[in-house]
Amino acid sequence: MVKITEKLLLEKGSPKTNKLEQIKTLNLSLLGLKPRDLPVGLLSRLRSLERWDLSGNRLDELPKNLELPALCYLDLSDNQMEDVTTLESLSSLEELKMEDNLYITVSDNYKLMVLLPNLRIHNGKDVSTNANHLRFVYSENLRTRIIAVWEKSFSLPDPITAEKLSALEKIFVKTARQQVKYGPNSVSDFTKWRVEIIAKEYLRSLTEPKEEPESKGSPDTKENCAVSMPTKRKQPVLVDTSISLTPRKKPRSDLPVSPVEARPRKSCLSRRLQTPTQTGAVRMSPRKTSRPPSTPTRGPARAEAPRRGPEVRQAKEDDGAGIKQRSRTELQRDADLLSSLKSCSKTQPVCLKPLHVLQCHSKQDSSEDFSTQLWACAFQPLPDYTGAGGGSRLVATCGGDSLCVIDCETGMVMKKYKVPGEEFFSLSWSTVLMSRGGGASAQHCSILAAGGKRGLVKLIHPRNNVAYGEFRASRKALSVLRFNHHQGNFLFTGSYDKKIVLWDIGGVDSQYNYKVVQLLVLEISTTPLHICLPPTSPSSHLLTACEDGLHCYNTLLGTNNTTKRTEEMEITFPIYKKEDKYHDFHTIDGLSFLTDDIVASKNYMHCSIYLWSWSRTKAQRPDRKDRTVCAVVLAELQWANTEIPYLALNTCPGQAYVVCGDDKGRLWTYHVSSLHTNSLHTGKPILPTEVLEWPTPVSKDQGQVEGPSINSVAMDPELHFLVALSDKNMVIVWKREASS
């Protein structure tokens, strides 16, 4: 037996250092260690420890309250483990080895999956979907049965005393363990253990103080928004009711995915690039053309209706007293914006120049295809777990029946996936664990999920050139996909059947076996267009931009909430008060977080982009009747005057940028750190930092291609590249120029 000392830990750890806090890997195998030989205080100094080998010892448990916040890999094989509950404090653990522990049962393995919320690989096998089934679906079924036992035979004592409550808990837990039967007999020990925990939680929830009834509105709510959302929206009277914003879908039998095209290709239009107009300090006011919009969309655009111009929006600014003395709300808004801007990174505006224009989504690879619409793009996340770089130059784009992965530097299409009969509307990147077997530790791999008209989600591993799976997420078209990057195997899908569903897609093994489990269904009122997960609470809140507004949902799993939920609240905006029978501003067709707190959003038909505070908006109490809260608006950014829907904005938090295209091929860019907040004092929207003009590519057959609608934009984290997708089958890549 060896005594664990600081000197020994420094010798056995790596990288070589003289500080325990810097050790990332530690090998304490084959030392004959017992639980009493592991000093909790000393080991808890290993704050950066990621991998720990304790194999070949004599451990029957681990010391309780061991705190290793960075530990993601633990090898406990060939020990004498009996009590697995002592591992509960290792909440960040992703991979665990427990082979050759003779006393470990199937029930113990199930307990581990519940106790360790991030466990994905157990004994070399991917268990993420089974684990999440136990954590949420299995537990929800047990909770339902436990509540039935309570309602049938129990009630709270009157009066409630600690002594009576303790006696009641013992009887209730004992009865629940006896009566609740669920799952196979081989895991009955796990079921009884889980029933006891859930029964205690349920009884505690009945006796905890309840929140006070919500008031119909708070002073903050009224201050920050002068109008509340009406309970029933007014319908435009001059709009053709046969026109909607949803796509027209025709039944089509499922067709197999075509073989992946692996050979890099380059498909560019020739370009004659005109010198962009320097518009950094110029107020851009695009005039609406007299012709109806000809831009093809997922569904027909709304019928043309008279609308207010910018001069009408500002007509009531000169209200006498309002000019002389600004309200407390406006002064507070200025202070909030200035404070929030300080949280943005101290970066400088960038200079972007057009680099490539590609037609890589053409039907039959035809250069004459200017009708295929491109809908979504996203950069591959930078590798988090390797030292490799270059991931940020790869962007995925989708539109028509294909999905492409493009190298922005070279303009080469590195991978292309075609699905005959499909029309892709959305995609999302994530990182999952790939188990390799044979004793090798799991590795992280970047995957893509894409979906569209057919309601199927395609799962793709671009690096290995494999479209490895698919599953049906809806019987109707999928409008949006979004991974939870704090838990990479959790995927949200939004569809035209007015539902958002949370799926656990698990990881994969070396043979690309995988399993998908449905965890949560959110019932919404209309088609979701965008999904955002707040950076500070991605597992408990979800914001969805819809055709009828912006809605917030509680997505926390493992609570007393059911797996089918309705909205928690709706977030309204000041522009709503200007709605009339000709103007409906509720459609939110742009939504993205700029910082952990600042949100950028765009209301269709509104000539501005709102910047608003998520934390202050969420802190308000929703109206008790219609569950609405008013967004705490920090600023308005001036944008184009257009009635074309689905022109999505995006943000680059690392460089403090907001970018949104318009219906003439231009990109409106806002470097938030350097915005002139003096505009707030005039009540006018803040001008863009720069408006990037359409680069006017030249087609052999059509000559100069006029500026199309920019449906989507994406930026890599360091803003070396900006990619814009058009409704005329063109991917435009802009590159950052080095500052002189």
Side-chain angles (χ1 to χ4, degrees):
M1 182 185 70
V2 178
K3 184 177 181 180
I4 302 299
T5 63
E6 181 174 351
K7 180 180 178 181
L8 178 69
L9 294 178
L10 293 173
E11 290 176 354
K12 296 285 186 178
S14 66
K16 293 304 177 182
T17 177
N18 59 358
K19 294 183 178 181
L20 293 181
E21 290 78 10
Q22 296 177 354
I23 292 177
K24 292 189 176 182
T25 302
L26 181 62
N27 187 346
L28 297 181
S29 63
L30 303 173
L31 298 179
L33 298 174
K34 293 183 178 181
R36 64 174 180 269
D37 301 322
L38 297 176
V40 174
L42 187 61
L43 292 171
S44 293
R45 291 173 57 189
L46 301 167
R47 309 298 292 177
S48 300
L49 185 65
E50 297 175 358
R51 301 176 65 85
W52 192 11
D53 188 350
L54 280 170
S55 60
N57 285 294
R58 301 166 62 186
L59 300 170
D60 57 7
E61 64 178 13
L62 283 186
K64 294 182 179 179
N65 303 320
L66 189 60
E67 295 183 6
L68 299 170
L71 188 68
C72 57
Y73 174 92
L74 176 62
D75 189 348
L76 282 171
S77 55
D78 192 17
N79 273 279
Q80 301 170 12
M81 292 294 294
E82 295 182 23
D83 185 4
V84 298
T85 61
T86 57
L87 276 67
E88 184 176 10
S89 62
L90 306 178
S91 58
S92 61
L93 206 61
E94 294 183 350
E95 184 171 1
L96 175 65
K97 288 191 173 184
M98 294 277 287
E99 297 105 331
D100 299 323
N101 282 270
L102 299 180
Y103 306 113
I104 295 297
T105 65
V106 176
S107 289
D108 290 324
N109 291 333
Y110 277 30
K111 290 178 183 179
L112 285 169
M113 296 181 198
V114 173
L115 290 169
L116 303 174
N118 293 313
L119 185 66
R120 303 185 193 180
I121 305 295
H122 184 229
N123 293 338
K125 296 180 180 179
D126 175 50
V127 297
S128 52
T129 50
N130 288 335
N132 284 319
H133 178 81
L134 291 174
R135 294 166 189 155
F136 309 123
V137 180
Y138 194 96
S139 296
E140 186 65 33
N141 281 317
L142 291 180
R143 185 175 289 107
T144 301
R145 288 164 168 77
I146 290 168
I147 293 174
V149 170
W150 171 268
E151 293 178 344
K152 180 180 179 181
S153 308
F154 293 90
S155 61
L156 291 174
D158 187 15
I160 297 177
T161 63
E163 184 179 349
K164 291 181 179 179
L165 205 57
S166 177
L168 175 63
E169 180 182 84
K170 291 180 181 178
I171 299 173
F172 174 50
V173 169
K174 181 179 179 181
T175 304
R177 283 171 57 95
Q178 292 173 345
Q179 295 186 10
V180 173
K181 306 294 182 183
Y182 186 67
N185 290 331
S186 59
V187 293
S188 59
D189 178 58
F190 164 76
T191 301
K192 291 179 180 180
W193 172 80
R194 194 75 181 109
V195 165
E196 180 174 343
I197 294 174
I198 296 174
K200 290 180 179 179
E201 290 176 349
Y202 178 69
L203 183 57
R204 197 177 304 120
S205 71
L206 296 178
T207 57
E208 287 176 348
K210 293 183 173 59
E211 293 183 2
E212 296 179 4
E214 296 171 343
S215 60
K216 188 173 180 179
S218 66
D220 288 343
T221 305
K222 294 176 182 178
E223 270 191 343
N224 289 303
C225 187
V227 64
S228 62
M229 163 77 178
T231 53
K232 189 171 183 180
R233 288 176 54 196
K234 297 178 181 179
Q235 298 295 328
V237 297
L238 297 181
V239 176
D240 186 346
T241 56
S242 65
I243 296 178
S244 68
L245 291 175
T246 57
R248 298 183 181 277
K249 300 172 286 296
K250 297 180 181 179
R252 185 184 294 271
S253 58
D254 289 351
L255 297 173
V257 180
S258 65
V260 174
E261 299 180 22
R263 180 173 56 87
R265 333 188 304 160
K266 191 165 185 176
S267 173
C268 290
L269 294 172
S270 61
R271 295 180 288 110
R272 184 168 68 218
L273 302 180
Q274 300 177 347
T275 304
T277 306
Q278 300 301 318
T279 56
V282 179
R283 181 183 176 95
M284 301 292 293
S285 297
R287 299 297 181 90
K288 179 171 64 68
T289 58
S290 57
R291 60 178 176 82
S294 59
T295 306
T297 62
R298 291 179 204 173
R302 302 181 186 218
E304 193 82 15
R307 61 171 297 160
R308 296 181 173 92
E311 66 279 358
V312 178
R313 290 197 305 159
Q314 300 171 9
K316 296 186 178 181
E317 290 176 0
D318 300 334
D319 283 343
I323 293 178
K324 296 179 181 178
Q325 183 176 6
R326 305 177 66 220
S327 68
R328 290 177 56 192
T329 303
E330 291 172 322
L331 294 173
Q332 183 63 44
R333 184 180 69 172
D334 284 6
D336 290 340
L337 177 60
L338 293 173
S339 174
S340 300
L341 292 183
K342 290 180 181 178
S343 67
C344 295
S345 59
K346 300 299 182 182
T347 57
Q348 297 298 319
V350 301
C351 179
L352 294 162
K353 298 294 182 182
L355 182 63
H356 303 292
V357 180
L358 298 90
Q359 280 185 291
C360 49
H361 292 267
S362 299
K363 299 171 184 174
Q364 288 83 44
D365 295 323
S366 170
S367 61
E368 299 179 1
D369 179 8
F370 288 92
S371 62
T372 297
Q373 294 204 79
L374 310 183
W375 286 114
C377 54
F379 277 86
Q380 180 181 6
L382 285 169
D384 293 327
Y385 302 96
T386 68
S392 62
R393 62 190 278 177
L394 293 180
V395 66
T397 61
C398 72
D401 65 358
S402 60
L403 181 149
C404 297
V405 178
I406 302 168
D407 185 320
C408 290
E409 184 66 51
T410 64
M412 292 290 184
V413 180
M414 308 305 294
K415 305 283 167 38
K416 184 172 182 178
Y417 310 89
K418 292 179 71 71
V419 183
E422 180 63 279
E423 183 177 0
F424 286 109
F425 288 156
S426 187
L427 57 79
S428 186
W429 286 95
S430 189
T431 301
V432 299
L433 281 176
M434 174 179 281
S435 55
R436 297 182 289 173
S441 60
Q443 66 179 12
H444 292 84
C445 61
S446 291
I447 65 164
L448 268 171
K453 183 175 66 174
R454 294 167 63 197
L456 297 173
V457 174
K458 298 289 182 181
L459 299 175
I460 300 166
H461 185 199
R463 180 176 180 180
N464 285 2
N465 210 32
V466 175
Y468 68 88
E470 70 176 37
F471 66 94
R472 178 164 292 284
S474 174
R475 292 293 171 185
K476 293 192 176 182
L478 299 177
S479 55
V480 60
L481 283 73
R482 176 57 61 92
F483 276 105
N484 179 347
H485 290 298
H486 283 232
Q487 193 149 3
N489 49 315
F490 279 11
L491 173 66
F492 288 94
T493 61
S495 55
Y496 283 87
D497 60 0
K498 303 178 182 179
K499 291 180 182 178
I500 294 175
V501 182
L502 173 58
W503 307 89
D504 175 11
I505 66 164
V508 295
D509 61 19
S510 57
Q511 304 301 314
Y512 288 100
N513 296 310
Y514 69 100
K515 184 179 180 181
V516 178
V517 174
Q518 178 180 302
L519 299 178
L520 182 66
V521 178
L522 305 178
E523 303 283 354
I524 60 179
S525 55
T526 186
T527 305
L529 303 178
H530 298 280
I531 290 174
C532 274
L533 306 177
T536 56
S537 55
S539 298
S540 59
H541 289 91
L542 176 147
L543 292 175
T544 178
C546 299
E547 292 178 351
D548 70 344
L550 179 60
H551 305 274
C552 176
Y553 294 86
N554 173 16
T555 57
L556 190 63
L557 297 171
T559 65
N560 290 332
N561 294 319
T562 61
T563 55
K564 288 190 177 182
R565 306 180 193 175
T566 55
E567 75 172 344
E568 188 174 75
M569 63 183 178
E570 179 183 355
I571 298 171
T572 63
F573 295 92
I575 189 63
Y576 288 2
K577 67 183 178 182
K578 296 186 178 181
E579 287 186 339
D580 54 30
K581 62 183 180 181
Y582 303 114
H583 304 87
D584 183 351
F585 297 107
H586 273 67
T587 296
I588 311 294
D589 58 354
L591 182 68
S592 183
F593 273 82
L594 177 62
T595 68
D596 286 354
D597 184 53
I598 300 178
V599 187
S601 64
K602 181 169 74 73
N603 300 61
Y604 167 52
M605 298 180 71
H606 183 208
C607 306
S608 295
I609 295 170
Y610 282 122
L611 295 183
W612 51 279
S613 168
W614 159 242
S615 61
R616 292 193 60 198
T617 300
K618 182 183 66 171
Q620 300 175 92
R621 288 190 173 185
D623 185 283
R624 189 164 51 186
K625 290 185 177 180
D626 52 22
R627 305 295 298 166
T628 59
V629 298
C630 295
V632 179
V633 175
L634 304 175
E636 284 189 47
L637 310 179
Q638 181 189 330
W639 185 65
N641 187 344
T642 178
E643 293 187 1
I644 302 297
Y646 308 144
L647 306 182
L649 61 80
N650 211 335
T651 57
C652 181
Q655 299 297 312
Y657 256 84
V658 179
V659 178
C660 188
D662 64 15
D663 59 339
K664 293 180 171 50
R666 295 173 297 193
L667 298 174
W668 297 60
T669 69
Y670 311 85
H671 182 240
V672 178
S673 293
S674 60
L675 289 177
H676 297 291
T677 55
N678 290 337
S679 299
L680 286 175
H681 297 282
T682 65
K684 296 178 181 179
I686 300 173
L687 301 177
T689 304
E690 184 179 8
V691 178
L692 304 176
E693 295 293 332
W694 173 244
T696 61
V698 177
S699 167
K700 294 179 181 178
D701 302 316
Q702 297 189 5
Q704 285 190 7
V705 179
E706 296 298 323
S709 293
I710 302 298
N711 289 340
S712 182
V713 295
M715 294 158 277
D716 70 277
E718 297 179 355
L719 197 45
H720 292 305
F721 298 99
L722 186 155
V723 174
L725 304 186
S726 78
D727 66 343
K728 291 185 179 178
N729 187 32
M730 284 177 281
V731 179
I732 306 98
V733 179
W734 298 71
K735 184 179 181 181
R736 176 179 181 173
E737 284 196 340
S739 57
S740 56

